[in-house]
Amino acid sequence: IPCIPELIKPLRLALTTNHPDIILAALTFLKELTLCNYGVGEALVPYYRQLLSVLNLFLTKRTNIGDAIDYSQFKGNDMSTAIMETLEILEKNGGPNAFINIKYMVPTYESCR
């Protein structure tokens, strides 16, 4: 938990790149970091303002392909699905103030509880 402040800046830089693969890798890291140990989710809450501001841009980015089949959700490459999964994990593990902070940064987010 003491090294979390050192991880925020590189994580934010990864999220601010507009490259989908880098953003998906950063989201995967954020999910794994939150789930790795008890208390890490609550320790991340003060940094939501720095991390989640970028996710609002990509949350509504869905691919409209009509009747065709898109396997990106199955492969884990769908940006909006990965963002929603990350936000749900952050809410579940972030303690009592997590939802309020997520809702402040991502107004369209609805609670998973």
Side-chain angles (χ1 to χ4, degrees):
I1 293 181
C3 67
I4 287 180
E6 298 172 13
L7 297 174
I8 299 302
K9 187 174 182 180
L11 191 56
R12 179 170 168 75
L13 286 173
L15 290 172
T16 55
T17 63
N18 286 332
H19 197 278
D21 293 334
I22 295 174
I23 294 172
L24 287 170
L27 290 172
T28 303
F29 171 74
L30 190 57
K31 286 189 275 190
E32 290 179 8
L33 178 67
T34 305
L35 296 173
C36 75
N37 199 354
Y38 180 76
V40 175
E42 291 183 19
L44 285 172
V45 173
Y47 303 104
Y48 281 1
R49 195 171 282 213
Q50 296 162 353
L51 297 174
L52 301 183
S53 60
V54 182
L55 300 183
N56 213 9
L57 301 171
F58 299 104
L59 186 61
T60 58
K61 191 174 188 178
R62 296 194 180 263
T63 317
N64 185 3
I65 55 172
D67 290 341
I69 297 174
D70 183 21
Y71 293 103
S72 64
Q73 285 181 335
F74 178 71
K75 295 177 184 176
N77 295 336
D78 188 35
M79 184 80 70
S80 59
T81 305
I83 290 173
M84 285 306 295
E85 288 174 359
T86 305
L87 291 176
E88 288 174 3
I89 289 172
L90 289 173
E91 180 188 357
K92 288 178 184 175
N93 297 307
N97 295 329
F99 174 69
I100 297 166
N101 288 305
I102 292 172
K103 187 70 172 174
Y104 179 74
M105 295 309 297
V106 185
T108 57
Y109 178 71
E110 295 180 10
S111 179
C112 62
R113 295 182 185 189

